[in-house]
Amino acid sequence: MSECSHDCGSCGENCAQRDMHKAPHELSKIKKVIGVVSGKGGVGKSLTTAMLAVLAERNGFRAAILDADITGPSIPKMFGITEKATGTELGILPAMSKKGIEIMSMNLLLEEDTDPVIWRGPVIAGAVLQFWTDVIWNDVDYMFVDMPPGTGDVPLSIYQSIPLDGIVIVTTPQDLVSMIVLKAAHMAEKMNIPILGVVENMSYVQCPDCGKKIEIFGESKAAAMAEQIGCKNVARVPFDGALTKCADNGLIELFEGEYLDELFRAIE
């Protein structure tokens, strides 16, 4: 076998030397791992992650969320989790939502939810890896990883360390956002990770009187983006006051709407 002649830390060559995936905790049981990614923040990545986990639970699967957005964790608040993570001599135990979704997030370790995490990239990447290797995940069918935005050091470390079975891309209709999000899609392609679907958040507003869909950010670009990256599964999530209220009040497990149902069936 020829020796690797390139830098495995920054390339997508599918060679034996590149396999740097870490094993989860020896007591963990995880079947499928799905990353939820975007090229930038503020597009609804965490909301999409939470909704997909809730849909998995509603369909009879055991779901978990690994919140890899260390500096901007919002998953615990969406699920109304205020207690902190615990542990034993064996490892760290994730928090549990009301419906039984296992969750690990940086905010479960901080004294105050608003305490900032002022760390450099390698330290953040190390914390994410510990969520994978040191947390005891109990018989999980689908783990959803809320990825940090961008295509830099931390996402690269996650791609190389955690064996993702596929990713879901989250975007919004604006041209500028689509351009940046495509960078994340192309990064996944270079890392040989399948793209399972595209979610366009804030896609439209539906008139409560006539039902007309008003595209306030312009014409939807989700289908065109999916075609460009070779993905067939597209979901559009509108501005929905009830959905926002559920997320803000820690009641995301009670959300109503079929926005991501077809996407989840495709993932399943």
Side-chain angles (χ1 to χ4, degrees):
M1 179 181 294
S2 61
E3 291 296 322
C4 178
S5 60
H6 49 262
D7 177 12
C8 294
S10 61
C11 85
E13 291 295 328
N14 190 19
C15 60
Q17 291 93 331
R18 179 184 171 271
D19 188 2
M20 296 181 284
H21 290 157
K22 305 297 183 182
H25 192 286
E26 60 182 357
L27 297 180
S28 293
K29 297 179 181 178
I30 306 166
K31 294 179 181 177
K32 296 293 182 182
V33 185
I34 310 297
V36 182
V37 311
S38 178
K40 68 186 303 296
V43 299
K45 179 170 44 58
S46 297
L47 178 63
T48 301
T49 302
M51 293 170 69
L52 287 173
V54 171
L55 287 177
E57 183 275 328
R58 288 179 181 176
N59 281 274
F61 298 103
R62 295 183 64 90
I65 297 177
L66 191 161
D67 188 356
D69 194 352
I70 300 296
T71 60
S74 56
I75 292 293
K77 180 175 176 57
M78 290 189 193
F79 286 87
I81 297 175
T82 56
E83 67 271 17
K84 301 305 178 183
T86 59
T88 68
E89 66 278 1
L90 296 177
I92 304 170
L93 303 177
M96 194 77 70
S97 77
K98 299 178 182 65
K99 299 289 187 179
I101 297 172
E102 296 183 20
I103 295 172
M104 190 62 213
S105 172
M106 193 64 202
N107 263 14
L108 300 179
L109 302 175
L110 300 175
E111 288 188 12
E112 299 291 339
D113 289 349
T114 55
D115 289 345
V117 178
I118 309 174
W119 293 347
R120 295 189 183 277
V123 181
I124 295 174
V128 175
L129 182 57
Q130 283 188 286
F131 286 175
W132 174 251
T133 60
D134 296 0
V135 174
I136 302 174
W137 300 97
N138 181 36
D139 197 17
V140 173
D141 293 311
Y142 289 98
M143 171 182 282
F144 296 94
V145 181
D146 185 4
M147 296 279 288
T151 57
D153 182 59
V154 179
L156 176 60
S157 296
I158 295 172
Y159 281 142
Q160 292 179 326
S161 300
I162 298 178
L164 297 176
D165 294 286
I167 65 166
V168 172
I169 302 282
V170 183
T171 185
T172 62
Q174 299 101 312
D175 282 332
L176 180 60
V177 173
S178 299
M179 184 256 309
I180 297 172
V181 169
L182 279 172
K183 294 178 182 288
H186 293 153
M187 178 180 184
E189 292 171 351
K190 290 181 179 295
M191 303 302 294
N192 298 313
I193 298 174
I195 300 174
L196 305 177
V198 173
V199 175
E200 185 176 74
N201 192 35
M202 296 179 276
S203 186
Y204 58 89
V205 174
Q206 189 159 12
C207 176
D209 296 323
C210 68
K212 180 181 179 180
K213 294 181 179 180
I214 305 169
E215 298 177 323
I216 61 175
F217 283 154
E219 184 178 351
S220 172
K221 299 172 181 63
M225 176 181 290
E227 182 178 0
Q228 186 173 349
I229 60 180
C231 176
K232 297 180 180 180
N233 306 306
V234 176
R236 298 177 66 191
V237 180
F239 285 93
D240 184 337
L243 176 59
T244 302
K245 189 174 182 179
C246 284
D248 286 347
N249 293 330
L251 300 172
I252 192 61
E253 289 171 297
L254 302 181
F255 87 87
E256 297 180 358
E258 301 177 353
Y259 313 125
L260 301 183
D261 286 7
E262 288 189 18
L263 174 60
F264 179 76
R265 282 193 289 270
I267 292 173
E268 181 184 351

